[in-house]
Amino acid sequence: MTRAVIPDTTIHRLPLYLRCLLEAQERRMPVVNSVEMAEMCGTNAAQIRKDLSYMGELGTRGIGYDVKALITHISSALGITERRRAGLIGYGRFGSALLSYSGFPERGFEIVAVIDADPEKVGTQVESFAGPITISPVEDLEKALIDAHVDLVIVATPAQVAQELADRAIAAGVKAILNLAPVRLSHPDDVAVRHVCLSTELQVLSFHLAQKTLNGQ
């Protein structure tokens, strides 16, 4: 399998399929078909079959997919069969909540470095699922990321400093960034960046609520 041939739209749906398969595994379902997956994922069976076909012949016609094997295939496609070492830039309320989020280690991600600009936080120890971490000063960002062998960073800082810190992380060799700051980051083509803006998502939800009100629902 060549990961590069999998369309981006399919890649964005694979984590949803993985979550549903893990749920099926918890239910002790050894086999699941596309219709059952569609019901669990809130999508349609044809789309699931098409998406999974990019990874080869995985299912058995008339029977379905082996749950354990499909979890392995999707995890491999997503590159999470190995542990990913993450650095957290910004240890405010949002950052501290992320550090204690159990979903990261369950999906193969470990926060191994924490960086902040607050002198009262720098030098203190915080607990993560990877063990205790000493918060590094923002001045030592590059050294902290390199010493911890960080694969990707999570930017949870105010908007006005996010670009500068992302640039420094990239200069330190980071090739993947999850940006939680409310600003779009510019970046080289060989660096993968995902933007997650909670305020934007809330505004989209507000739009849908407004439409329901206008329609009398």
Side-chain angles (χ1 to χ4, degrees):
M1 179 192 68
T2 302
R3 293 179 185 171
V5 303
I6 302 178
D8 284 346
T9 52
T10 295
I11 293 171
H12 293 165
R13 286 188 287 266
L14 291 182
L16 172 62
Y17 300 159
L18 180 58
R19 187 181 69 195
C20 293
L21 287 165
L22 291 170
E23 180 182 336
Q25 191 174 59
E26 289 178 0
R27 295 182 187 178
R28 301 184 182 280
M29 297 170 61
V31 177
V32 64
N33 60 44
S34 57
V35 174
E36 292 169 327
M37 281 188 64
E39 292 175 352
M40 296 171 69
C41 298
T43 181
N44 66 79
Q47 184 67 70
I48 289 175
R49 289 194 296 271
K50 181 179 180 181
D51 287 339
L52 296 182
S53 70
Y54 289 110
M55 293 184 289
E57 298 294 330
L58 303 179
T60 302
R61 186 179 295 275
I63 298 177
Y65 302 94
D66 180 282
V67 171
K68 184 177 180 181
L70 192 51
I71 288 173
T72 299
H73 278 287
I74 293 179
S75 296
S76 177
L78 292 172
I80 57 174
T81 51
E82 57 185 281
R83 308 298 291 182
R84 297 292 185 185
R85 298 170 66 84
L88 174 61
I89 304 177
Y91 191 68
R93 292 180 180 177
F94 200 3
S96 61
L98 292 174
L99 193 64
S100 60
Y101 175 51
S102 62
F104 289 151
E106 288 173 359
R107 297 298 183 271
F109 298 92
E110 296 179 337
I111 296 180
V112 295
V114 179
I115 298 149
D116 199 86
D118 187 345
E120 293 187 1
K121 297 175 183 176
V122 170
T124 62
Q125 276 200 340
V126 291
E127 289 295 327
S128 78
F129 288 93
I133 300 173
T134 300
I135 298 178
S136 299
V138 71
E139 293 82 8
D140 294 342
L141 182 147
E142 292 86 351
K143 183 178 186 303
L145 298 180
I146 293 171
D147 287 351
H149 305 288
V150 164
D151 298 311
L152 59 93
V153 296
I154 303 167
V155 177
T157 67
Q160 60 269 28
V161 297
Q163 183 66 62
E164 175 194 349
L165 297 177
D167 289 343
R168 291 176 59 189
I170 292 169
V174 168
K175 294 296 183 181
I177 298 173
L178 176 63
N179 176 39
L180 305 180
V183 62
R184 301 291 294 187
L185 298 177
S186 60
H187 56 90
D189 292 339
D190 64 341
V191 175
V193 176
R194 294 288 294 169
H195 297 89
V196 179
C197 181
L198 295 182
S199 61
T200 296
E201 298 302 325
L202 287 171
Q203 290 172 68
V204 172
L205 288 174
S206 178
F207 167 80
H208 288 295
L209 288 174
Q211 292 301 303
K212 289 181 180 295
T213 300
L214 289 173
N215 295 329
Q217 297 181 16

